[in-house]
Every structure is written in structure tokens, then in C-alpha cells.
Amino acid sequence: MSGQSLLVPGELSPIRSVPASIRRPEYVGKEAPTPYTGPEVQDSETIERMRIAGRLAAQAMAEAATHIAPGVTTDELDRVTHEFLCDHGAYPSTLGYRGFPKSLCTSVNEVICHGIPDSTVLRDGDIVNLDVTAFIHGVHGDNNATYLCGDVDEESRLLVERTRESLNRAIKAVKPGRQINVIGRVIESYAKRFGYGVVRDFTGHGINTAFHSGLIVPHYDAAHATTVIQTGMTFTIEPMLTLGDYEHDMWDDGWTVVTKDRKRSAQFEHTLVVTDGGAEILTLP
């Protein structure tokens, strides 16, 4: 494994502004979003709007990823993402969500998820997850991926490749009539082949007009996750695999989640809509 030193919090830049002409999610300026009480199955018009949001989120993430290199700060990746989304008429969903101060999450090395972009400088050999969500036309599209920065060690590279593969396998397992725990069963059985931990306390989620609808999508074999998958449901799958144990610690910022043993973690995510034959990925660029 890489001998990189552990991360420490950096300095935050001022909150970036969003043009007044761009529609905000209802939770902006509030402590928490209004609980979602609508259906998990969406109509065709909502799904079409989600295709637009998902495509923009994927394009913004791809643009930010082109800037990943040793010497670049995670705040610079936030700037690129913020400007891309605003230039395309979308609001960065994370900005102001429960007080989150930035327009994407940047999770480096031992950070499992929800890392806050700041003055942290990427180093040769790092792995960095970008998590981008776009809000446009009243709906959200959410995706993330883990990228290699410079010359990354073999163990970390394989972790990234296999985490991506676990997402691909989980998507193929989505079928109407199956229970949602089939997703975690597929991910965990694959991860166990390599001795990886599968994070339990952070999950996929329902998504539509709400950033998080209340539907939970575990990435481990959770017997209690008996919700039946239905055509038209929209949700994310976003497995987080670790080189060690799945237990975590939280930084004092209340957001940044790191592995308890400080070993590396990787994550990939797509927003999906369930079709009669399986699942359509809505977050493709």
C-alpha cells in the first residue's frame, strides 16, 4: 500500500455564489430538507427531467476529473464543478445541503465519503473520489467515481477497479420483483473475494425531486432490506469498499468520514431508473 501520510483538514475558501436565475432546491438556507412524502416510482416526465440532471452531473464530474493531477487542490476541483454546473443552468445539490459548504465532495485516500474541498493539495499516488449532484428542472442527478492521481500503487489501483466492477455487477442485478437487498448481496459477495471491507453506515438512496427520498439501498447483504424493486423506481447505488475494515471515524467538521484503520477506500455511484428489463443508468455523460 502507498506510504502517503494521512490527510488533515485544510483551509476552506469562501462559499461560491450561484446566479439568482438558477432555481434552488427547497432545502437551501434551511437546517434540513423537508421530508419527502411522494412515491418512489416516478412518472415518465420526471424520469426525463432526471435524465437531463443526471447527464449534467456526469459531464460536470468528467470535466473536474480532467483537472486531477499532483499539485492541484481539491478546492480547484470544486471551482471547476461549480462553474460547469452554473454555466449549464444547474444548481450544485450539495451546496447548502444540511449546511455543506461546497459544490461537490472530494474524498481522498482514507476518506470514505463526504470530504469537503479545501486547500488540500493532491499528491502523486493519491486516489480521489469526486461526488457530483446536479439539480435542474426540479430534480437531482447524483454520481461519483474514484480517480487515480499520478503513479498509484497496485493495491490501490486494484481497489479502484474492483469497486467500479462491484457497481457494474450490482446494476445488472436490478430487476423488477426482486428485493432491494439483492444489490448489497452481489456487492458484498464480490468484495469478499478480495478481502475488502464493505461500508455499512452509508448507503445508496432514493432520488427524484428529493436529493434523498428516504429509500435506503444497502451495499452489504442486509436481510432487512426487503423493499421490492418496481419499474419506474429511481435510486442510487454507490458501493464504498475498503482495503481494511469497514468501521469509520468522523472528522470534527461533521462531514468527512474516514476509515477507522486509515486504510484506503474507493467508491463509485450511478443514479438509475428501473425498467421492465433491468435498470437504465441516468448518469452517463
Side-chain angles (χ1 to χ4, degrees):
M1 178 178 166
S2 169
Q4 300 281 48
S5 59
L6 298 178
L7 294 172
V8 295
E11 296 295 323
L12 289 180
S13 64
I15 292 176
R16 294 185 163 88
S17 63
V18 177
S21 58
I22 294 177
R23 178 179 173 184
R24 272 76 168 151
E26 60 82 23
Y27 52 75
V28 173
K30 298 164 54 178
E31 288 188 2
T34 302
Y36 178 74
T37 57
E40 297 296 345
V41 172
Q42 305 303 309
D43 59 32
S44 59
E45 188 270 339
T46 301
I47 292 168
E48 182 55 37
R49 287 187 284 137
M50 289 184 67
R51 286 192 180 96
I52 296 170
R55 185 162 55 247
L56 271 177
Q59 290 170 341
M61 184 174 73
E63 176 61 27
T66 66
H67 294 259
I68 292 173
V72 174
T73 65
T74 54
D75 186 69
E76 173 64 9
L77 303 179
D78 181 76
R79 182 195 65 77
V80 171
T81 302
H82 182 91
E83 293 182 359
F84 184 97
L85 290 174
C86 290
D87 287 348
H88 290 81
Y91 185 93
S93 299
T94 59
L95 184 62
Y97 179 78
R98 297 183 181 272
F100 193 85
K102 293 297 175 181
S103 297
L104 83 162
C105 300
T106 51
S107 301
V108 181
N109 296 344
E110 69 269 19
V111 180
I112 295 172
C113 59
H114 304 159
I116 301 175
D118 59 19
S119 61
T120 296
V121 176
L122 295 178
R123 302 161 297 181
D124 185 61
D126 284 343
I127 60 174
V128 55
N129 178 274
L130 306 183
D131 193 337
V132 179
T133 309
F135 177 79
I136 191 170
H137 304 316
V139 297
H140 301 267
D142 186 4
N143 67 165
N144 77 58
T146 303
Y147 299 90
L148 310 182
C149 182
D151 185 16
V152 175
D153 67 275
E154 179 75 357
E155 185 179 39
S156 298
R157 186 184 63 77
L158 287 173
L159 173 69
V160 170
E161 288 182 6
R162 290 163 177 169
T163 305
R164 181 191 294 111
E165 176 62 16
S166 77
L167 173 59
N168 293 338
R169 289 175 179 234
I171 292 171
K172 290 176 182 177
V174 174
K175 305 287 183 185
R178 291 180 173 176
Q179 293 183 346
I180 212 156
N181 57 18
V182 69
I183 292 168
R185 188 173 308 124
V186 166
I187 292 168
E188 186 171 38
S189 64
Y190 178 71
K192 279 184 173 179
R193 289 168 50 183
F194 310 105
Y196 296 153
V198 181
V199 172
R200 294 177 173 233
D201 292 335
F202 301 90
T203 69
H205 53 89
I207 184 170
N208 39 65
T209 57
F211 194 172
H212 300 86
S213 72
L215 174 68
I216 301 299
V217 183
H219 302 119
Y220 65 100
D221 190 358
H224 64 273
T226 57
T227 300
V228 175
I229 298 171
Q230 301 177 63
T231 299
M233 289 177 73
T234 50
F235 54 82
T236 72
I237 304 176
E238 44 188 297
M240 291 149 267
L241 305 187
T242 65
L243 286 176
D245 193 69
Y246 61 76
E247 298 291 347
H248 72 272
D249 290 326
M250 180 84 72
W251 279 6
D252 291 342
D253 61 23
W255 283 105
T256 306
V257 180
V258 296
T259 54
K260 185 173 286 292
D261 58 16
R262 302 303 190 264
K263 293 184 178 180
R264 289 186 169 190
S265 176
Q267 182 183 19
F268 284 83
E269 173 187 24
H270 276 305
T271 295
L272 314 172
V273 60
V274 180
T275 65
D276 289 339
E280 174 192 345
I281 300 173
L282 298 179
T283 40
L284 291 176

